[in-house]
Amino acid sequence: MATIGLDGKPKVRPMQYMVLEDGKLWFCTNSKKEVFAELQANPFVELCGCKLEKDEMQTPWIRFSAEAVFEERQDIRDAIIDKSAIVNALYKTMRDNPIFKVFYLKDIDGWMTNLGHVKGLENREEFARPVHFKF
């Protein structure tokens, strides 16, 4: 997940989405972390990921931008604590700890394709076509 740092420079960190609820991708963080302060100052993010395949040109990737929206939702906090071993180890006895924050992404706009779709390579029939999505 890429954010704009408090110093105005881009910051990138691994971020795992935790649950899909109410048609929203939910994430979590700690209010004492830099990423929380960054998202409070500028809630816009971009995410990118891929899963390397044996045939690297068939490797699928996704990239999208969105806006992070924080909500106080104990049901989401509980679902994340129950799902994630890491979060569970941190918060299982402190489910209502005020530093544990949850947020979802809105206005998602992005692309899915594969690495074979790069300039300079011939288009091949077996490549999946790029897909634009918004929600």
Side-chain angles (χ1 to χ4, degrees):
M1 178 180 284
T3 59
I4 300 298
L6 298 177
D7 61 1
K9 297 177 182 175
K11 306 296 179 199
V12 179
R13 63 192 48 85
M15 183 74 76
Q16 176 183 353
Y17 107 87
M18 293 293 174
V19 294
L20 177 62
E21 185 68 37
D22 302 329
K24 300 172 183 171
L25 296 173
W26 288 87
F27 297 78
C28 66
T29 191
N30 175 320
S31 64
K32 296 185 179 203
K33 290 186 174 183
E34 278 187 29
V35 68
F36 180 77
E38 292 165 1
L39 291 173
Q40 294 298 296
N42 184 342
F44 298 98
V45 300
E46 188 156 292
L47 292 96
C48 183
C50 68
K51 180 179 183 295
L52 187 60
E53 298 291 341
K54 194 171 200 170
D55 174 2
E56 69 180 11
M57 292 206 310
Q58 293 290 355
T59 292
W61 63 266
I62 185 170
R63 186 183 90 196
F64 62 92
S65 59
E67 182 177 353
V69 178
F70 285 86
E71 277 191 14
E72 294 295 327
R73 294 268 311 259
Q74 189 62 45
D75 61 323
I76 299 296
R77 292 158 56 111
D78 289 340
I80 292 171
I81 290 168
D82 293 341
K83 176 189 180 234
S84 170
I86 294 169
V87 178
N88 186 281
L90 292 169
Y91 296 101
K92 68 181 170 190
T93 62
M94 305 180 293
R95 288 179 177 261
D96 59 352
N97 189 324
I99 69 170
F100 180 48
K101 301 295 185 184
V102 296
F103 64 96
Y104 67 89
L105 300 180
K106 76 172 192 174
D107 299 331
I108 295 172
D109 186 1
W111 288 90
M112 291 186 306
T113 190
N114 60 47
L115 292 181
H117 281 285
V118 296
K119 289 182 180 178
L121 289 180
E122 69 179 70
N123 277 334
R124 295 186 6 206
E125 194 61 37
E126 69 270 20
F127 290 159
R129 297 292 168 234
V131 176
H132 179 242
F133 57 90
K134 287 180 115 169
F135 58 95

